[in-house]
Amino acid sequence: MIDQNTFIAEYADRRRVLLLVLLGAMATVIGKAVDLQVMETDALQRKAERQYVSAVSMAAYRGNIVDRHGEPLAISAPVYSVWVDPQRFVTTGRQRRALARLLDIPAKRLDKLTPGKSGRRFVYVRRRISPSLQKQVMALKLPGVAFKREYKRYYPTGEVSAQLVGFTNVDDIGLEGIELAFQNTLNGTPGRKKVIRNGKRQVVADFERADDPIPGQDVQLSIDQRFQYIAYRELKAAFIKQQARAASLVMLDARNGDILAMVNQPSFNPNTIRGQSQGRFRNRAITDVFEPGSTMKPFTVACALEQGNLDLDTIIDTSPGTFRVGRNTVRDMRNYGALDVAHILQKSSNVGISKLALSLSPESFLGCYQRLGFGQPVGIGFPGEALGRLPSYDKLRAFEQATLSFGYGLSASALQLAQAYTALANEGEMLRVRLIKDEYIEPAVRVMSADTARTVRQMLEGVVSSEGTAPRATVRGFRVSGKTGTVKKIGEGGYSNDRHLAIFAGIAPASRPRIVMVVIVDEPGGSEYYGGLVAAPVFSRVTSSVLRLLGVQPDREQSMPLVRVTADGSI
């Protein structure tokens, strides 16, 4: 039998041990609590933030591209991109198929993003969906699915300004045109903020905003969207009618060199570039070069007038329609007989202009072309701008000098040719072309006297008469100066007899120029392939509409006799 005192003593000992254990446990808990609450507060907060707080970037608004009147050519609209955390994408096959249908993506792609099949934590599944579609995806309430707010580029004018404006990729980086040339200006600076996520990794609140996004700057072009549309419409109609390989048109303001319109065919829709041929993306008016043909003849005449080698009474015999230069022969369409300078341009006589060019020294002749900007960059900063080619005078043979006078043996872009024609429109001062409206306007460069420019411009009115090569370039109520060009394209075996460029360069109104335009149709497929039959009508239709929109008063009734320039340059 256990002694009562012994039992009480043992019970007291056990109680003390138990109390000591409990006190020790409490001390441990209190100590741990103190350690967590006081000593490890910062570390624990950082750990908690890593679990529930994360940094996200905020997309910056990309600057708009607008025309000279502020009409939008490229804008950005808010959209959402869908992404998945594969470690949390615990879904059934039925749920994944429903998401795939909504996003129009293969269901197999989502099957690979489930836990155990991917070690990644962030995978885009569809970029830039509309806000309405984002709400439908959100309604599925799938774990591991999240959204990122972004912007999508939209081009209101579509094909009309496609090669000029260009486009961006899915990350809003410019790939072509103005979008590429002014990427640094248009592109904003993304912002950053910290957000709180719940156990499902969904954003429930903003935690802290570190940096606000900085929107990109707008870029205002010199073009007029009204003129751009008119030019696009007429060029496309001619391109289709002629079954041509390509076509380009450049329109300049004859008073300051602003590019008012620049269009190309074939074009493309920059809003949906998938499946489009990359050949359609380039701005042919700037990037492609060609031999300008007879559109160079006015500059040969201007050079001869400047050098004092002829006056308006000079007669050149073009009989019998051929001209032997060394071992080569220059040919006309037919025998034009004796022609004065104005009729050499009106009839576009290769023989007459060759004899005129050979009366000049190679240095002075090529010097005229150089001053007009040929063989030099225009310098508007557009990607892929072509330099063109102009031979050096020290290697220039007589026959090469003759062919240069009617536009063979050199190359230029449509924009270079249009810039050169501004010298004839602007009283002998060549304008520096401008594509960005708020850029500094460089001073014009005098390349010939005002008298010479006016004289040649008046001569070119004869080209657009019923007796010239471009009666289809006439504009009702207005005097027009212009020059045709029909160029044989060169191939592997030399110049082709069935592949041509049809060109027209024109100025209107002739009495007080407002626009300068160059139209090029590459390889017209029909029986009509001459510049006066294919390119000149495009000039006429576009000019008629543009002058009406500009409110320019007709000048057809005005009478301006030819200015007679003597050998010493006096009137």
Side-chain angles (χ1 to χ4, degrees), residues 325 328 330 354 357-358 365-366 369 389 391-410:
V325 184
N328 304 98
V330 176
S354 295
L358 291 174
F365 179 62
L366 280 177
Y369 279 15
R389 174 186 171 273
S392 59
Y393 68 85
D394 57 337
K395 298 180 180 179
L396 195 65
R397 296 180 301 152
F399 181 67
E400 292 172 334
Q401 184 167 338
T403 57
L404 280 173
S405 70
F406 52 88
Y408 285 88
L410 77 158

Side-chain angles (χ1 to χ4, degrees), residues 214-251:
I214 302 174
Q217 300 177 42
D218 292 349
V219 171
Q220 185 172 29
L221 305 185
S222 61
I223 68 165
D224 188 313
Q225 187 53 36
R226 300 171 302 169
F227 304 163
Q228 183 82 358
Y229 172 74
I230 293 167
Y232 169 83
R233 179 189 66 197
E234 299 300 342
L235 188 70
K236 184 175 183 178
F239 169 76
I240 295 173
K241 177 182 178 181
Q242 301 297 332
Q243 301 177 357
R245 176 176 175 269
S248 297
L249 182 152
V250 175
M251 184 196 308

